[in-house]
């Protein structure tokens, strides 16, 4: 199948852009929908993600707190994670 | 109730002053799960050899870094892992906890106890993969390691810090030689590590019981990754065992480590490599199979005084098929080690046990470490045996032999007979020297081959009864002087007159 080289180029450009966005985009997961003021406060604390595009994901399982994900990095400040690590420590003491 | 209130107040106070720490973690997503190996997307900044934790609880070890994926071997149960679950990098390379408490224990490659005992308490960890000590930290081998086996101590002497391969077909007594060497270290201030790779659990139980029976477990550690364990642990077992050995070596102790056996270790690594789709080479082994064993055995060495003066002697075991030493893995390990003890099925079946082929076995550095007394009696023995082998094949065709040849054949058959030894009955250095001295001086020449065994038995009995002083003398003086030889002569003549 012959593809118009211009079309192919355009398509590749789009693909690269979307991939770039995927890695650059910051995902902030929280137990409820955050408003802009709250997100601004979060972004102020973490310089790594300040100028990046973000998306807010709601996950009730978190119970509270937030999880920030960008690229392959995660900053986990959720209650769920804290409880999990607590459980692990108790297990280790046993 | 008051007490609880107090506690709660305390907790509240702590909570108020506590600061939340934001730790940046490296994560990935399991994309694919193969037999014991997981492939994960993400984990962009993970390092080779780093430990990762799966959401479902198992831990893994990064073994392959591809363009956008990471290959992880799963330590433990991999059947719980589902594709799509999160993997978290833990930020440290795989290490094992080490302490003196590990002596006398049976553990898996991650130092989890396999016996009834509690977990090993340790305040130190040693990395499983470590670069071997450099040239400046090393010293040449100078102290002998007595295996308690006459044939080895006399003809293929092993020094502390040497790597001596034990090679042979199945059922030729490879493990027996290694275990006898461990049994003989009771009073030698040596720490022994037996590392079983891909062995049957029944065999491991036998090893444990044997060491227990001879009270050898007190100074030993058994690291076991049996045939039913995942290949990942089988692959890691020798490295973990070496890490335990390094802990003791760094403390200035002498260590003896047995890898039983490295052919199965190579199989385990081949399986992992093939699952990771690495290009297969000869016999389907991956290209770095040589490095697999060379980096392991390089870690055994003798350190100089500045580095603590410890040593690690390695006795790797390789199983051959049909005595084929020119297969891939045997040739690799032969070239890495400082010599080999070659065991043969034919000899074993002919009743020569240990079934050591003296002609093919060598020790490249151990000769420097042999004691002078042993050198004195063994030097001639080696020559006698070499000439005997040459003549024995030749003499089968000739009916009439000259006196000289007959003498050689006679001496050779007696020496072969005297080098036989029952299993699990190691001799002390003095006992070995006494027996070999008798052969060396020709006292056996007039005896029938069948009588040699009983002669040896009586000699040892008598020597144990009244030779304590003589034994001390032999061990202390190292070299056999006229006085010692006179006493030896009297002892041997007494035995001959008794028989």
């Amino acid at each position: 199948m012959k593809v118009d080289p211009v079309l192919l180029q355009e398509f590749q450009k789009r693909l690269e852009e979307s991939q770039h966005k995927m890695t650059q985009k910051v995902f902030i997961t929280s137990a409820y929908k955050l408003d802009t003021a709250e997100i601004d406060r979060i972004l102020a604390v973490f310089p790594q993600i300040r100028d990046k595009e973000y998306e807010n994901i709601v996950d009730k399982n978190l119970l509270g707190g937030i999880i920030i994900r960008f690229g392959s990095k995660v900053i986990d400040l959720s209650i769920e994670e804290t409880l999990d690590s607590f459980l692990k420590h108790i297990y280790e003491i046993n | 109730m008051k007490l609880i209130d107090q506690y709660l107040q305390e907790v509240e106070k702590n909570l108020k002053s506590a600061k939340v720490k934001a730790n940046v973690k490296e994560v990935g997503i399991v994309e694919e799960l193969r037999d014991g190996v997981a492939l994960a997307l993400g984990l962009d900044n993970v390092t080779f050899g780093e430990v990762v934790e799966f959401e479902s609880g198992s831990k893994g070890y990064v073994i392959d870094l591809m363009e956008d994926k990471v290959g992880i071997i799963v330590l433990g149960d991999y059947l719980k892992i589902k594709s799509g679950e999160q993997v978290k990098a833990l930020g440290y390379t795989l290490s094992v906890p080490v302490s003196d408490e590990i002596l006398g224990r049976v553990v898996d490659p991650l130092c989890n106890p396999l016996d009834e005992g509690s977990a090993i308490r340790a305040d130190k960890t040693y990395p499983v993969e470590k670069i071997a000590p450099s040239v400046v930290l090393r010293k040449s081998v100078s102290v002998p390691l007595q295996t308690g086996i006459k044939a080895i101590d006399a003809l293929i002497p092993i020094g502390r810090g040497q790597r001596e391969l034990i090679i042979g077909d199945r059922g030729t007594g490879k493990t027996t030689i290694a275990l006898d060497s461990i049994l003989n270290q009771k009073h030698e201030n040596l720490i022994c590590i037996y590392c079983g790779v891909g062995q049957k659990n029944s065999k491991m139980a036998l090893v444990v019981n044997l060491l227990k029976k001879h009270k050898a477990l007190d100074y030993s550690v058994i690291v076991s990754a049996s045939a039913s364990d995942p290949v990942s642990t089988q692959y890691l077992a020798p490295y973990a065992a070496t890490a335990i050995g390094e802990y003791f070596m760094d403390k200035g102790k002498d260590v003896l480590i047995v890898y039983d056996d490295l052919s199965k270790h190579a199989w385990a690594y081949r399986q992992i490599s093939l699952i990771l789709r690495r290009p297969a080479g000869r016999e389907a082994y991956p290209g770095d199979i040589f490095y697999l064993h060379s980096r392991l055995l390089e870690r055994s060495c003798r350190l100089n005084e500045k580095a603590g003066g410890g040593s690690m002697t390695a006795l790797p075991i390789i199983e051959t098929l049909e005595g084929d030493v020119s297969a891939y893995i045997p040739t690799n390990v032969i070239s890495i080690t400082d010599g080999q003890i070659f065991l043969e099925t034919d000899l074993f079946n002919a009743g020569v046990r240990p079934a050591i082929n003296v002609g093919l076995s060598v020790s490249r550095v151990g000769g420097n470490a042999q004691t002078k007394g042993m050198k004195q009696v063994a030097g001639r023995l080696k020559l006698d045996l070499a000439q005997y082998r040459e003549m024995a094949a030749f003499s089968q065709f000739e009916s009439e032999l000259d006196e000289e040849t007959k003498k050689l054949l006679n001496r050779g058959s007696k020496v072969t007979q005297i080098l036989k030894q029952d299993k699990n009955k190691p001799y002390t250095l003095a006992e070995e020297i006494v027996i070999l001295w008798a052969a060396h001086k020709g006292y056996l020449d007039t005896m029938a081959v069948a009588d040699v065994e009983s002669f040896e038995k009586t000699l040892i009995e008598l020597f144990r009864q009244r030779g304590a002083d003589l034994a001390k003398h032999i061990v202390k003086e190292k070299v056999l002087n006229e006085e010692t030889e006179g006493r030896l002569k009297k002892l041997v003549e007494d035995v001959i007159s008794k028989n």
Side-chain angles (χ1 to χ4, degrees):
Chain A
M1 193 178 74
K2 253 198 166 175
V3 183
D4 190 345
V6 182
L7 202 68
L8 196 73
Q9 239 175 22
E10 279 292 311
F11 193 73
Q12 255 170 357
K13 220 168 132 189
R14 276 292 288 274
L15 194 74
E16 269 167 25
E17 261 174 28
S18 70
Q19 267 185 345
H20 195 61
K21 264 186 200 154
M22 276 294 282
T23 52
Q24 287 302 303
K25 211 169 179 179
V26 178
F27 297 93
I28 303 173
T29 316
S30 55
Y32 61 92
K33 189 92 187 154
L34 301 170
D35 57 37
T36 15
E38 282 170 319
I39 284 179
D40 283 343
R41 271 177 64 196
I42 293 167
L43 294 183
V45 177
F46 300 104
Q48 304 103 306
I49 55 168
R50 201 165 290 164
D51 306 319
K52 286 176 185 162
E53 207 179 314
Y54 64 82
E55 192 183 322
N56 188 201
I57 302 165
V58 176
D59 184 357
K60 287 254 186 299
N61 290 333
L62 251 62
L63 301 177
I66 48 161
I67 299 173
I68 304 166
R69 187 156 61 84
F70 52 104
S72 71
K73 288 193 163 48
V74 162
I75 302 171
D76 200 331
L77 297 169
S78 66
I79 303 278
E80 192 196 13
E81 156 77 13
T82 318
L83 287 175
D84 270 352
S85 64
F86 190 50
L87 186 74
K88 226 174 262 171
H89 278 291
I90 290 174
Y91 178 74
E92 271 173 23
I93 292 164
N94 269 342
Chain B
M1 276 321 269
K2 224 179 169 186
L3 202 65
I4 292 179
D5 279 345
Q6 254 178 14
Y7 274 130
L8 282 176
Q9 264 173 16
E10 187 73 17
V11 169
E12 231 166 87
K13 209 175 101 190
N14 277 335
L15 275 178
K16 264 181 196 156
S17 60
K19 273 186 189 163
V20 179
K21 249 196 197 163
N23 291 326
V24 182
K25 273 181 249 154
E26 194 65 40
V27 294
I29 304 249
V30 176
E31 191 197 41
E32 214 177 309
L33 192 68
R34 299 177 190 158
D35 208 353
V37 171
L39 294 179
L41 275 173
L43 289 168
D44 294 343
N45 295 306
V46 84
T47 54
F48 190 89
E50 198 168 325
V51 183
V52 295
E53 193 178 30
F54 293 91
E55 222 176 341
S56 52
S58 335
K59 284 192 176 156
Y61 171 73
V62 175
I63 200 179
D64 207 13
L65 296 172
M66 287 165 274
E67 203 171 339
D68 52 352
K69 272 188 251 176
V70 174
I72 301 163
I73 53 173
V74 185
L75 310 167
D77 189 11
Y78 62 88
L79 295 172
K80 284 187 297 187
I81 298 167
K82 293 187 181 74
S83 66
E85 76 173 63
Q86 212 181 56
V87 211
K88 195 167 70 187
L90 296 181
Y92 56 84
T93 47
L94 189 61
S95 320
V96 287
V98 279
S99 71
D100 287 354
E101 225 175 79
I102 205 166
L103 282 177
R105 302 295 301 271
V106 184
V107 293
D108 75 357
L110 299 172
C111 282
N112 301 315
L114 294 175
D115 49 12
E116 300 93 34
S118 58
I120 283 125
R121 277 174 298 163
D123 42 8
K124 244 187 186 174
T125 57
Y126 261 60
V128 165
E129 291 274 3
K130 198 177 171 193
I131 300 290
S134 76
V135 186
V136 283
L137 298 174
R138 289 175 187 240
K139 208 177 101 174
S140 56
V141 172
S142 56
V143 183
L145 183 134
Q146 298 296 338
T147 60
I149 300 164
K150 279 172 288 181
I152 295 175
D153 287 341
L155 305 169
I156 323 145
I158 300 172
R160 293 189 180 187
Q162 190 181 346
R163 298 142 325 151
E164 182 80 8
L165 170 68
I166 303 172
I167 186 168
D169 277 10
R170 62 183 169 74
T172 47
K174 301 184 295 298
T175 308
T176 309
I177 286 187
L179 288 177
D180 283 359
S181 308
I182 291 178
L183 295 185
N184 195 42
Q185 307 310 326
K186 198 174 263 172
H187 308 293
E188 300 277 337
N189 192 23
L190 215 111
I191 283 159
C192 303
I193 300 170
Y194 178 87
C195 172
V197 185
Q199 298 291 345
K200 292 187 281 270
N201 271 323
S202 59
K203 185 177 171 182
M204 290 311 295
L206 279 177
V207 170
V208 175
N209 286 334
L210 180 80
L211 294 186
K212 253 189 204 155
K213 198 177 128 200
H214 288 85
K215 296 197 173 57
L217 206 56
D218 304 336
Y219 55 86
S220 306
V221 185
I222 295 177
V223 181
S224 166
S226 72
S228 66
D229 288 329
V231 275
S232 54
T233 49
Q234 288 183 33
Y235 159 69
L236 286 172
Y239 299 102
T242 313
I244 298 170
E246 275 166 348
Y247 165 71
F248 290 110
M249 180 168 76
D250 288 348
K251 283 176 81 179
K253 296 239 169 80
D254 287 327
V255 180
L256 169 69
I257 185 162
V258 176
Y259 305 107
D260 194 1
D261 65 79
L262 287 187
S263 351
K264 291 196 183 72
H265 180 236
W267 293 350
Y269 188 59
R270 174 168 64 181
Q271 184 178 334
I272 290 171
S273 295
L274 289 175
I275 291 169
L276 284 168
R277 307 234 166 101
R278 288 184 181 162
R282 185 174 157 193
E283 289 176 27
Y285 288 108
D288 61 343
I289 195 82
F290 186 87
Y291 183 55
L292 177 82
H293 290 145
S294 66
R295 74 167 189 267
L296 171 73
L297 292 167
E298 251 330 90
R299 285 160 75 178
S300 298
C301 64
R302 165 142 219 116
L303 295 174
N304 62 22
E305 276 71 32
K306 261 190 195 162
S311 76
M312 182 148 61
T313 314
L315 292 179
I317 294 176
I318 288 278
E319 189 175 291
T320 52
L321 293 169
E322 303 266 330
D324 183 15
V325 282
S326 57
Y328 195 20
I329 303 301
T331 45
N332 275 357
V333 184
I334 285 173
S335 76
I336 294 163
T337 48
D338 307 310
Q340 70 272 356
I341 296 168
F342 187 57
L343 304 175
E344 265 184 357
T345 315
D346 291 349
L347 287 172
F348 189 85
N349 292 338
V352 182
R353 289 170 204 182
I356 299 169
N357 181 325
V358 183
L360 286 179
S361 303
V362 286
S363 173
R364 282 194 264 275
V365 293
N368 306 329
Q370 209 171 21
T371 58
K372 282 194 182 117
M374 186 54 108
K375 241 180 216 167
Q376 242 173 315
V377 292
R380 178 70 197 278
L381 226 58
K382 234 181 251 179
L383 194 72
D384 283 343
L385 275 174
Q387 285 175 332
Y388 169 65
R389 270 195 311 275
E390 217 166 82
M391 287 294 166
F394 176 66
S395 65
Q396 284 174 348
F397 304 106
E398 300 253 346
S399 50
E400 276 182 34
L401 298 163
D402 61 278
E403 274 308 304
E404 195 60 29
T405 317
K406 268 186 195 161
K407 236 181 174 176
L408 267 174
L409 288 174
N410 183 29
R411 172 64 71 88
S413 62
K414 303 291 158 57
V415 170
T416 311
Q417 188 64 28
I418 206 87
L419 287 178
K420 289 181 187 172
Q421 191 169 340
D422 286 343
K423 70 171 180 180
N424 306 336
K425 279 194 188 124
Y427 284 127
T428 64
L429 175 65
E431 286 164 3
E432 284 176 346
I433 290 180
V434 170
I435 298 165
L436 296 176
W437 183 85
H440 162 71
K441 285 289 169 193
Y443 285 104
L444 306 177
D445 293 354
T446 49
M447 240 175 258
V449 175
D451 295 335
V452 173
E453 202 185 328
S454 68
F455 164 77
E456 186 188 337
K457 217 174 143 193
T458 347
L459 177 63
I460 287 302
E461 260 170 33
L462 206 66
F463 182 64
R464 279 180 187 160
Q465 271 170 28
R466 58 182 216 203
D469 181 45
L470 185 59
K472 239 184 251 169
H473 206 72
I474 292 173
V475 174
K476 206 176 130 204
E477 291 289 319
K478 304 278 182 192
V479 64
L480 301 179
N481 52 25
E482 258 174 49
E483 189 212 333
T484 327
E485 287 199 281
R487 289 167 75 180
L488 279 173
K489 193 176 167 194
K490 193 168 171 292
L491 184 79
V492 173
E493 273 165 5
D494 278 0
V495 175
I496 289 175
S497 63
K498 254 191 189 179
N499 269 21

